[in-house]
Each structure stands twice: as C-alpha cells, then as structure tokens.
C-alpha cells in the first residue's frame, strides 16, 4: 500500500478531541528542538504534541510521516501520580506491507500478580478485547519481558497494511481510548501518601524500561541521530525517567547488569516466547509462570555474571 495518503494524524486528533470533551487539556511545553523535526535523510518528518489535564500527568504523541513507505505513531497518556489507573499505550509502526501494532491500557501494577488491580481495571474490559480478537490476531512470539507491562486486553498484532486494516485499527484505537478515559474518570484519588509513592515508582519503572529498551529506539537513532534521539526519548517520550525517581534501569532490572557495570544492550535477556495469547477470554494468565518468577533472582557470581532464577534454571549472561 502506498502510505502517502495514509496518516495517523486522525487518531491523535480523535484522542485529543475526546479528552477535551471530558476534561480540560492544557499544553505542556516541548523543548524547541523536539517540536517538529526532519529526518537526516530528508524523507520523514516527526511531529510531537504534549498536554496535561486534571488526573492526567502527561498525554503525548510522536508521529513520524515517512511518505509512501513508513508511518509511525507512538501515543501515550500517563496518570497523575495520585491515581493508579493504567497508562494508555498505542504504538504503530507501519511500512507499505506490514504494520506492527501494540495497543493497550498498560497496567501500572503487574496485572497477573496483583489480582485486585486486574479486577479493578480489566475485568469489565475483556469484551472489548474479544471484539477485535479475530481482526487483530496475536502477533506471534514476543519478547517476554514486554509481557509484564501488558494487560490481559493488550492487542499485539502484525497485520498487512491495507485500507481495511487501517479502518479496523482506527475503530479499535477509538474504543480503547474511550475505555481509558472511562477508567480515568472513575479513578479515585490515593487515600494516603504511600499509595502515591507506589504509583510514582510504578510509573518510573515503566519509563525506565521503555526509555532503555523500546524496540523503536534504533530506528529513531537512524532517523535523527544518536543525540537528538536520546533527548527525544528522555525529555519527551518517556519524560519523568530522570525526575520521578532516582533508581536506575539496573536497579529495576539487574538481570541486564554486565560485568563492567554497563547495561546489557540485548533487547531481551530471556528471548522471545508466547507464540499464542497467554491469557484466556476471562483475562486469566495461562502462560508459563516462569516469566513472573524470573525476576526474583539472586546474583550468584558477580565476576561471571550468573544469576539463579527461582523456579527456573541457571542463566549465564
Ligand atoms: C517493534 N514495538 C515493536 C515490537 C513491540 C513494540 C512489542 C515487536 C518487537 C518485540 O518483539 O519486542 C512495542 N514493546 C512495545 C511497547 C512496549 C513494549 C509499546 O515492551 C511497552 C511496554 N515503534 C515506535 C517508534 C518507532 C517504532 C517511535 O514506537 C520508530 C521510530 C518502531 N517498533 C518499531 C520497529 C519495530 C518495532 C522498527 C520492529 C523492530 C524489531 O522487531 O526489532
């Protein structure tokens, strides 16, 4: 499909108008050099938008228009720290043949381990996922670390780039975004400071993960260069990573520790898994529990960087 006439702009426009209908958006300043950019090869333009609203700490969009061959949307909305409702996440990477889709209300707390969180925010939304399950099928194996940040209603899909699929995706995006707005409207403020502190750490951990390991980073670096990409990632896309907490990526994800103290550049330590959807229709996790115990590890030997994972085997990094 020639993507020249294809754009994710109307997705963004819908989300902002729908939010504005229900609350009051106000612009958040964007660093001058990140407002509107042209790729180094001159073939793509990058647009950023940034807002906040009561209950919404940050709602932001990066869209990349790459002419006939590439269109990208990275749209996310983060709650105010006094609230624990999910993070809205839409990541679409489209070439003339294929679209890689992640659309979710990313849980602030692990929706498999914290059943009350799952019940609170996802039980009522399972039918929403069912509605699109056939049209946007599970996109084959996925890095299992990502799964921890996904909810039982996640849409992870790889679809052909066709006008029909574009319309399906637009309808799905609208439904998911409206569902997120309802979660936002219903969410109650934290009753004590401790909850707010936990929400803050949960967002910070999420930001730390994505600022370091998002699959889009290599392409972003190719498009606008290492330094600008770094600013885009840390000051804009995952803004908060340097201010919401002092823990580092390695504090949260020590399994990425290299012997020389640096971060393992691999995108995934565990590798790809989950060829099929690991939740049942009721949102119950039916994948291997290994993923969820894997992170409870202890370091056995700092020199050769060997970890013992509970319920699992030795893994040499
Ligand atoms: C691919 N993007 C992907 C994939 C996922 C995501 C799951 C498939 C690769 C994989 O298995 O990991 C998205 N992963 C996420 C999200 C979370 C996560 C949202 O863990 C949240 C927790 N994508 C962008 C931007 C670009 C982009 C801005 O958001 C480009 C500038 C590109 N995404 C992009 C590309 C691929 C991709 C090029 C394919 C690269 C690959 O498979 O390695």
């Amino acid at each position: 499909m020639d993507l020249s006439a294809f754009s994710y702009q109307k997705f963004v426009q819908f989300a902002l108008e729908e939010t504005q209908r229900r609350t009051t958006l106000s612009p958040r300043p964007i660093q001058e050099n990140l407002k509107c950019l042209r790729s180094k090869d001159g073939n793509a333009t990058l647009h950023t938008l940034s807002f906040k609203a009561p209950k919404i700490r940050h709602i932001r969009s990066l869209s990349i228009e790459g002419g006939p061959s590439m269109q990208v949307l990275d749209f996310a909305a983060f709650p105010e720290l006094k609230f624990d409702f999910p993070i809205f996440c839409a990541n679409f990477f489209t070439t003339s043949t294929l679209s890689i889709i992640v659309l979710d209300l990313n849980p602030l707390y692990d929706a498999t381990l914290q059943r009350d969180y799952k019940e609170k925010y996802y039980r009522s939304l399972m039918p929403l996922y069912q509605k699109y399950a056939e049209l946007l099928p599970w996109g084959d194996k996925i890095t299992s670390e990502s799964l921890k940040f996904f909810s039982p209603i996640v849409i992870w899909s790889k679809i052909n780039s066709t006008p029909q699929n574009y319309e399906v995706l637009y309808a799905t995006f609208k439904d998911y975004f409206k569902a997120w707005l309802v979660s936002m409207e219903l969410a109650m403020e934290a009753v004590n400071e401790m909850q707010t502190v936990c929400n803050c750490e949960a967002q910070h951990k999420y930001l730390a993960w994505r600022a370091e390991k998002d699959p889009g980073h290599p392409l972003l670096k190719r498009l606008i260069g290492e330094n600008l990409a770094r600013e885009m990632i840390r000051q804009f896309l995952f803004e908060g990573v340097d201010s919401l907490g002092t823990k580092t990526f390695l504090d949260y994800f020590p399994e990425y520790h290299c012997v020389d103290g640096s971060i393992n550049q691999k995108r995934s330590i565990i590798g790809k898994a989950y060829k099929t959807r690991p939740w049942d229709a009721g949102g119950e996790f039916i994948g291997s529990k290994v993923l969820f115990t894997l992170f409870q590890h202890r370091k056995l030997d700092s020199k050769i960087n060997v970890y013992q994972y509970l319920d699992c085997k030795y893994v040499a990094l």
Side-chain angles (χ1 to χ4, degrees):
M1 180 167 92
D2 182 339
L3 301 176
S4 306
F6 173 107
S7 163
Y8 283 120
Q9 280 314 320
K10 76 170 181 179
F11 291 54
V12 177
Q13 211 174 332
F14 169 83
L16 296 179
E17 281 172 12
E18 197 62 23
T19 312
Q20 185 64 22
R21 266 182 359 99
R22 300 171 190 232
T23 179
T24 310
L25 281 174
S26 37
R28 276 178 58 136
I30 302 177
Q31 209 172 290
E32 205 54 49
N33 60 345
L34 301 179
K35 274 185 183 155
C36 183
L37 290 158
R38 205 159 180 80
S39 63
K40 289 198 295 184
D41 64 7
N43 291 333
T45 46
L46 295 82
H47 297 278
T48 50
L49 288 171
S50 181
F51 296 89
K52 62 182 176 172
K55 287 192 168 183
I56 304 173
R57 185 178 70 77
H58 195 190
I59 182 164
R60 55 76 176 159
S61 158
L62 165 67
S63 50
I64 306 177
E65 312 221 317
S69 57
M70 182 181 71
Q71 296 287 331
V72 181
L73 178 67
D74 180 345
F75 186 91
F78 301 87
E80 267 299 343
L81 302 175
K82 284 187 178 142
F83 298 90
D84 71 352
F85 62 91
I87 295 164
F88 182 81
C89 164
N91 276 73
F92 308 148
F93 172 74
T94 295
T95 66
S96 49
T97 51
L98 184 79
S99 292
I100 298 178
I101 306 297
V102 175
L103 179 61
D104 194 21
L105 274 55
N106 288 156
L108 213 52
Y109 298 100
D110 188 313
T112 297
L113 295 177
Q114 302 214 11
R115 296 191 71 83
D116 52 340
Y117 190 81
K118 191 185 89 180
E119 290 296 311
K120 186 164 151 191
Y121 288 114
Y122 299 104
R123 173 162 292 282
S124 62
L125 294 180
M126 289 317 294
L128 181 62
Y129 161 69
Q130 292 298 335
K131 187 172 162 188
Y132 296 104
E134 269 180 43
L135 292 168
L136 297 168
W138 188 255
D140 203 7
K141 284 187 181 171
I142 182 147
T143 305
S144 40
E145 280 106 326
S146 291
L147 225 60
K148 263 172 75 85
F149 296 97
F150 291 170
S151 83
I153 64 161
V154 67
I155 290 182
W156 148 241
S157 197
K158 287 179 183 168
I159 50 174
N160 293 330
S161 301
T162 63
Q164 293 85 338
N165 279 340
Y166 174 76
E167 289 309 324
V168 168
L169 190 59
Y170 185 44
T172 319
F173 176 88
K174 286 194 287 188
D175 273 359
Y176 268 61
F177 193 71
K178 283 192 276 187
W180 180 79
L181 285 174
V182 171
S183 297
M184 181 270 286
E185 282 170 335
L186 295 177
M188 308 287 283
E189 204 169 304
V191 291
N192 58 48
E193 186 54 28
M194 199 53 217
Q195 279 180 4
T196 305
V197 170
C198 291
N199 295 341
C200 183
E201 174 149 313
Q203 276 203 41
H204 189 240
K205 183 177 182 182
Y206 176 93
L207 293 166
W209 170 257
R210 293 202 58 189
E212 195 62 48
K213 294 293 172 195
D214 229 42
H217 295 348
L219 177 58
L220 203 56
K221 285 177 187 159
R222 277 208 303 282
L223 288 173
I224 57 175
E226 189 102 21
N227 290 341
L228 260 181
R230 192 182 156 78
E231 284 186 44
M232 177 72 85
I233 289 163
R234 298 194 81 89
Q235 331 278 358
F236 179 74
L237 290 176
F238 306 112
E239 178 279 327
V241 65
D242 294 319
S243 61
L244 291 184
T246 51
K247 282 193 183 171
T248 64
F249 175 82
L250 288 173
D251 291 333
Y252 290 123
F253 308 101
E255 60 277 19
Y256 281 86
H257 221 291
C258 283
V259 196
D260 63 1
S262 65
I263 298 174
N264 193 326
Q265 289 305 301
K266 275 187 177 175
R267 278 235 18 254
S268 154
I269 294 292
I270 306 167
K272 291 197 172 186
Y274 299 107
K275 210 172 159 43
T276 55
R277 191 177 184 79
W279 291 275
D280 69 13
E284 200 60 32
F285 189 74
I286 50 169
S288 156
K289 292 281 185 231
V290 167
L291 171 65
F292 295 96
T293 53
L294 212 45
F295 294 96
Q296 301 164 9
H297 58 267
R298 65 192 168 93
K299 205 166 187 180
L300 289 179
D301 187 328
S302 57
K303 288 203 191 78
I304 53 171
N305 225 0
V306 173
Y307 291 84
Q308 183 189 37
Y309 294 107
L310 305 178
D311 257 24
C312 192
K313 52 186 184 297
Y314 288 94
V315 179
L317 306 179

